[in-house]
């Protein structure tokens, strides 16, 4: 059954609606709805303003032109039929998505906004445009609602061992992949500039945080302490946003844990306590781990390809944890998963297999690549603590 259409954005033509560019990926672009001089939270729900009420708390996600991504109706149908049933409370566990109709005038407006913002976009995305598509999606806005909110964003990645990793592995799949990525970048930097010792030192001095720590924090005080330390909760004054790779930073800064605290000199102590409590007691990460394991439990070549694709989708999602003050002056914690688009396994399968072979044959799972790249993998840390 096709997903239900919740709104037709052509009705915005007379609503004095503007769009603000928020961000983009390889296949989609995200915009915010702006209604100058209007507070849509106070508008009465009559026939003319119903569209405005639907847009409250939502962002607009539209497809990029000239990509091989699935159409939005197919993406949303997959999300409703394959992703949502994996979670016993999808309304609370997943950032909600809704299908909306576009038209050429809306697409033209969006492309005009992109043109104005083009110089500020990532270099490899500059010049790309919104596709002339019939449908887009409304996605739940999981950004901070107030400057005082605390927003945690991270990619949980692989929460279980790769079923094809060697039995002697001393690194999880995430950290083996990061070691491979850094190793590859070091070789590339060396070939371009043999004397780039500073670049190499920068790459090796700050290995990515291991996302397994976020799950281990439920039972390990040591992991909990490392997660909190990685967020610098005592004085969060800058956002740890992911940065693209550059000549100066060949791998890009891609922290596993990103804390959006821009403009905050100190985190509210109540929020700090609430975040620690969530890390220790949440059911969302265990649910995600269990779903990954159910879908891809077998050695390479025996897993159902559709289930493998679903498992890979779950291994590439984003987790948002927003902590704010509720209407009674208490603290509210909202934790949801996003970025759960359908993966094209037919196009990705060979790449997944080749990468897994690289990780095994290159010794990245066992930490014996030459030269060795240091990581902060939970498995390695636990091994050092035990020795």
């Amino acid at each position: 059954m096709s997903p239900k259409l919740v709104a037709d954005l052509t009705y915005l033509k007379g609503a004095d609606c503007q769009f603000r560019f928020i961000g983009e990926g390889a296949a989609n672009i995200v915009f915010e709805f702006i209604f100058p001089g209007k507070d849509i939270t106070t508008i009465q729900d009559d026939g003319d303003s119903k569209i405005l009420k639907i847009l409250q708390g939502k962002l607009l996600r539209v497809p990029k032109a000239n990509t091989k991504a699935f159409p939005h109706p197919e993406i949303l149908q997959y999300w409703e039929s394959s992703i949502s049933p994996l979670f016993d409370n999808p309304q609370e566990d997943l950032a909600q998505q809704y299908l909306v109709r576009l038209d050429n005038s809306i697409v033209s407006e969006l492309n005009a906004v992109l043109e104005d913002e083009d110089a500020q976009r990532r270099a490899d995305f500059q010049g790309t445009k919104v596709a002339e598509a019939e449908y887009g999606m409304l996605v739940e806005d999981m950004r901070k609602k107030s400057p005082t909110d605390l927003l945690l964003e991270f990619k949980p990645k692989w929460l279980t061992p790769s079923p094809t990793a060697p039995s002697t592995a001393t690194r999880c799949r995430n950290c083996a992949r990061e070691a491979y990525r850094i190793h590859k970048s070091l070789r590339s930097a060396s070939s371009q500039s043999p004397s780039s010792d500073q670049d190499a030192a920068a790459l090796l001095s700050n290995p990515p945080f291991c996302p397994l720590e976020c799950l281990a924090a439920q039972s390990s005080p040591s992991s909990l302490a490392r997660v909190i330390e990685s967020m610098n909760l005592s004085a969060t004054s800058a956002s740890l946003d992911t940065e693209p790779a550059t000549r100066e930073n060949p791998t890009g800064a891609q922290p596993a844990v990103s804390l959006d605290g821009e403009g905050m000199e100190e985190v509210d102590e109540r929020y700090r306590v609430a975040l620690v409590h969530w890390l220790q007691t949440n059911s969302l990460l265990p649910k995600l781990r269990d779903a990954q394991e159910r879908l891809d439990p077998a050695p390479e070549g025996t897993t159902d390809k559709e289930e493998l694709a679903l498992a890979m989708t779950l291994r590439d999602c984003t987790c948002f944890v927003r902590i704010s003050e509720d209407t009674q002056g208490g603290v509210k914690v909202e934790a949801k998963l996003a970025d759960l688009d359908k993966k094209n396994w037919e196009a990705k399968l060979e790449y997944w297999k080749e990468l897994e072979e690289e990780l095994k044959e290159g010794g990245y799972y066992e930490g014996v690549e030459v030269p060795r790249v240091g990581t902060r993998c939970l498995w390695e840390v636990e091994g050092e603590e035990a020795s």
Side-chain angles (χ1 to χ4, degrees):
M1 185 172 66
S2 298
K4 180 182 178 182
L5 186 74
V6 300
D8 188 333
L9 297 191
T10 59
Y11 290 111
L12 289 175
K13 292 178 181 178
D16 192 24
C17 175
Q18 299 174 11
F19 300 96
R20 177 183 296 153
F21 170 66
I22 297 298
E24 62 189 315
N28 299 285
I29 309 175
V30 179
F31 295 88
E32 180 181 9
F33 297 96
I34 303 294
F35 296 91
K38 289 184 180 179
D39 180 0
I40 65 173
T41 65
T42 63
I43 295 175
Q44 297 299 313
D45 194 10
D46 55 37
D48 294 333
S49 63
K50 187 175 182 180
I51 180 69
L52 304 188
K53 299 287 284 189
I54 292 173
L55 302 183
Q56 184 178 330
K58 315 286 195 316
L59 298 172
L60 175 63
R61 196 186 89 160
V62 291
K64 276 187 176 180
N66 303 316
T67 74
K68 296 180 180 179
F70 293 107
H72 275 42
E74 188 172 346
I75 290 174
L76 188 55
Q77 183 177 11
Y78 182 80
W79 183 81
E80 291 178 348
S81 63
S82 298
I83 301 291
S84 292
L86 297 173
F87 297 86
D88 54 11
N89 196 341
Q91 287 285 333
E92 287 192 8
D93 293 338
L94 306 177
Q96 299 299 294
Q97 304 181 143
Y98 310 91
L99 192 67
V100 292
R101 191 185 305 279
L102 307 172
D103 73 355
N104 288 341
S105 65
I106 295 290
V107 170
S108 295
E109 285 187 58
L110 298 176
N111 278 326
V113 172
L114 285 182
E115 187 173 351
D116 289 341
E117 295 284 339
D118 204 47
Q120 309 304 318
R121 298 167 70 191
R122 215 173 83 175
D124 55 335
F125 289 159
Q126 289 177 0
T128 56
K129 295 184 177 183
V130 176
E132 292 185 0
E134 184 178 359
Y135 298 102
M137 281 201 296
L138 297 181
V139 296
E140 186 175 0
D141 188 355
M142 286 301 295
R143 298 176 301 168
K144 296 197 295 184
K145 293 182 178 180
S146 164
T148 60
D149 289 355
L150 179 65
L151 180 65
L152 172 69
E153 177 184 351
F154 65 99
K155 281 188 170 290
K157 292 291 187 178
W158 295 55
L159 294 178
T160 59
S162 167
T164 62
S167 60
T168 51
T170 58
R171 286 177 180 150
C172 68
R173 170 56 166 72
N174 309 301
C175 292
R177 171 70 176 88
E178 288 301 324
Y180 167 76
R181 183 175 64 85
I182 294 172
H183 204 251
K184 186 176 180 181
S185 297
L186 287 172
R187 291 199 303 267
S188 177
S190 177
S191 65
Q192 294 174 10
S193 176
S195 61
S196 57
D197 293 338
Q198 290 183 343
D199 288 347
L203 287 168
L204 294 170
S205 64
N206 188 30
F209 188 75
C210 178
L212 291 188
E213 297 273 23
C214 294
L215 187 61
Q218 295 201 334
S219 58
S220 167
S222 297
S223 284
L224 179 62
R226 285 191 290 268
V227 172
I228 297 302
E229 181 183 8
S230 76
M231 299 175 193
N232 190 25
L233 281 181
S234 59
T236 306
S237 58
S239 177
L240 304 177
D241 292 331
T242 298
E243 296 178 6
T246 63
R247 184 177 178 83
E248 294 74 23
N249 181 15
T251 63
Q254 299 183 348
V257 180
S258 175
L259 183 68
D260 184 356
E262 191 170 357
M264 296 171 60
E265 293 183 2
E266 187 172 324
V267 173
D268 188 314
E269 181 62 23
R270 297 174 304 157
Y271 292 0
R272 191 197 326 273
V273 171
L275 178 56
V276 169
H277 181 72
W278 182 85
L279 287 167
Q280 291 177 310
T281 63
N282 79 87
S283 62
L284 183 58
L285 295 182
K287 288 178 190 177
L288 181 61
R289 174 201 59 203
D290 293 347
Q292 290 180 2
E293 191 166 36
R294 285 197 308 271
L295 291 164
D296 188 20
E300 184 177 341
T302 61
T303 295
D304 177 88
K305 300 303 184 292
E306 292 290 349
E307 290 195 345
L308 173 61
L310 182 51
M312 296 301 279
T313 293
L314 296 177
R315 290 162 174 160
D316 196 34
C317 66
T318 302
C319 181
F320 292 93
V321 184
R322 181 169 59 200
I323 304 177
S324 58
E325 190 170 82
D326 62 24
T327 55
Q328 283 76 43
V331 175
K332 177 173 65 174
V333 179
E334 302 166 274
K336 300 197 175 191
L337 301 176
D339 300 332
L340 288 159
D341 284 0
K342 181 179 182 180
K343 298 284 187 187
N344 186 341
W345 68 262
E346 293 178 320
K348 293 277 192 179
L349 186 59
E350 284 306 310
Y351 166 75
W352 292 337
K353 287 182 176 180
E354 289 172 6
L355 176 58
E356 192 71 3
E357 286 304 310
E358 289 266 16
L359 298 182
K360 289 189 289 186
E361 293 178 7
Y364 296 99
Y365 273 118
E366 298 161 302
V368 295
E369 69 280 355
V370 180
R372 188 179 187 279
V373 175
T375 74
R376 289 192 284 171
C377 185
L378 173 63
W379 293 4
E380 290 188 311
V381 171
E382 289 178 334
E384 292 170 1
E385 290 178 345
S387 62

